[in-house]
Amino acid sequence: MIAAQTAPAATHGEMGTNMQVEVTVNGQAHVLEVADNTLLVELLRENLGLTGTHVGCDTSQCGACTVHMDGRSVKACTVLAAQAQGAEVVTIEGIGSADALHPMQEAFRDCHALQCGFCTPGMIMSAIDLVSRNPGIDNAGVRAGLEGNICRCTGY
C-alpha cells in the first residue's frame, strides 16, 4: 500500500519544477510531490517528519545526515530526492525502537559512544554499513571507515 502524500515542497535554494518521487522509507512506501532540487535529507526531515537524520554541515563533510539507500550508507545532504526514486531508504528511526535497540545502538550505549548525540545517528548508520560489508574489521579499520563522520563535541 502506498501512502499518498502531498506536502509543501521542501527546497534547497530557489524553487524549481515540482516532480513526483516514489520512495520506500523505513518499510513504508511514499509518493511525494517535491521540487526537483529537493535534497533527500530535506525530504526525510521536512516532508516525512523524520528528524533523526541531522543536517550538520550541508556539504557532505560531517556525516550527520547518513542514511542507508538500497543497502548502502549515503550522505543524504548530497543526494537529490529524485535520485532516491524507487529506492529503499532506512533512517535511524527505522533500525530499532526504544524497546528493542539495534545491536549497533546497544553497542554505542554500552561503550558510552555518545556525547551531545548530534552526530550519533549518522555514526550509527555508517557503522552498521561498515561492519556489514567488513565482517571481522579491526579497530584501525573502523577508525578509517568512519573518517567521513565527524563528532565536533569531542575535539574537532
Side-chain angles (χ1 to χ4, degrees), residues 1-4 23-24 27-31:
M1 172 193 252
I2 294 178
V23 61
T24 301
Q28 183 174 357
H30 299 275
V31 177

Side-chain angles (χ1 to χ4, degrees), residues 85-147:
Q85 172 65 33
E88 296 268 344
V89 174
V90 179
T91 69
I92 192 73
E93 292 93 345
I95 64 164
S97 69
D99 297 329
L101 294 177
H102 183 280
M104 190 63 73
Q105 290 172 305
E106 287 180 352
F108 269 61
R109 180 197 61 204
D110 294 348
C111 295
H112 307 287
L114 313 162
Q115 294 290 321
C116 76
F118 191 82
C119 70
T120 304
M123 289 274 195
I124 289 173
M125 297 305 287
S126 293
I128 290 169
D129 182 45
L130 179 64
V131 299
S132 72
R133 288 185 293 112
N134 301 285
I137 192 168
D138 63 5
N139 286 343
V142 170
R143 283 189 181 98
L146 293 179
E147 278 184 349

Side-chain angles (χ1 to χ4, degrees), residues 21-33:
V21 175
E22 296 180 30
V23 61
T24 301
V25 180
N26 299 333
Q28 183 174 357
H30 299 275
V31 177
L32 299 132
E33 181 88 10

Side-chain angles (χ1 to χ4, degrees), residues 25-26 41 43-53 91 93:
V25 180
N26 299 333
V41 71
L43 180 142
L44 295 170
R45 291 181 60 82
E46 297 173 25
N47 294 83
L48 298 180
L50 298 170
T51 57
T53 302
T91 69
E93 292 93 345

Side-chain angles (χ1 to χ4, degrees), residues 31-100:
V31 177
L32 299 132
E33 181 88 10
V34 297
D36 61 1
N37 61 347
T38 299
L39 297 172
L40 179 58
V41 71
E42 294 170 324
L43 180 142
L44 295 170
R45 291 181 60 82
E46 297 173 25
N47 294 83
L48 298 180
L50 298 170
T51 57
T53 302
H54 296 154
V55 178
C57 64
D58 209 18
T59 61
S60 183
Q61 301 299 308
C62 75
C65 64
T66 303
V67 298
H68 295 169
M69 187 167 84
D70 292 333
R72 300 291 296 222
S73 64
V74 298
K75 293 180 180 178
C77 75
T78 61
V79 175
L80 290 170
Q83 292 173 289
Q85 172 65 33
E88 296 268 344
V89 174
V90 179
T91 69
I92 192 73
E93 292 93 345
I95 64 164
S97 69
D99 297 329

